[in-house]
Amino acid sequence: MSESLVVLMLLKIYFVFTKKRTILKDKRLVVLDEELEGISPDELKDELPERQPRFIVYIPYPPCFIFSSPVGCKPEQQMIYAGSKNKLVQTAELTKVFEIRNTEELTEEWLCEKLGFFH
């Protein structure tokens, strides 16, 4: 599988704040945090933050979306990311959607198994 991996995009949410530094929950921006080429799922583990959620878009064939929500994240962060996930998946028209709670789960074997379900 690693030969077919073309691009990996790590996406994170930026928030819009009020003057009092409170988050406007309905004002979120999903932005490209990092773009990596030719990286395997096993190598990706080292790139993911241990205690912050991230959206991951793998663009091999078939493209897939992985929501990384590690144990130990702040509950508010988890809720905001989880609440944004469906809209992002719909907008990007992604149909292979997975979630991990521990970055160690993300291996090439795990991804092949998940994608194999669709074949």
Side-chain angles (χ1 to χ4, degrees):
M1 169 174 283
S2 59
E3 293 176 13
S4 66
L5 294 178
V6 178
V7 176
L8 166 96
M9 294 183 290
L10 293 176
L11 305 170
K12 70 186 218 179
I13 295 177
Y14 280 98
F15 306 100
V16 176
F17 292 90
T18 66
K19 289 181 182 178
K20 294 181 181 180
R21 299 292 301 155
T22 57
I23 295 174
L24 294 172
K25 290 183 176 32
D26 59 335
K27 301 287 183 185
R28 297 176 271 236
L29 219 48
V30 177
V31 297
L32 179 63
D33 185 33
E34 193 169 357
E35 186 173 314
L36 305 165
E37 292 186 29
I39 188 170
S40 73
D42 295 296
E43 295 167 322
L44 172 61
K45 287 188 279 195
D46 296 330
E47 302 295 325
L48 291 173
E50 290 183 23
R51 302 214 184 277
Q52 294 179 342
R54 283 294 182 274
F55 295 136
I56 303 159
V57 179
Y58 252 128
I59 307 179
Y61 183 78
C64 64
F65 178 90
I66 303 167
F67 173 38
S68 172
S69 179
V71 174
C73 290
K74 293 179 182 177
E76 184 177 62
Q77 277 187 326
Q78 286 180 322
M79 290 186 327
I80 290 171
Y81 270 79
S84 302
K85 180 180 83 171
N86 289 339
K87 180 70 172 168
L88 179 59
V89 167
Q90 288 174 345
T91 301
E93 298 180 357
L94 296 163
T95 57
K96 300 352 180 224
V97 179
F98 312 111
E99 183 172 338
I100 57 171
R101 297 283 294 161
N102 179 340
T103 56
E104 293 302 312
E105 294 174 44
L106 188 57
T107 63
E108 194 154 343
E109 180 181 334
W110 175 86
L111 187 57
C112 286
E113 180 183 309
K114 295 293 186 183
L115 290 174
F117 177 77
F118 294 97
H119 294 172

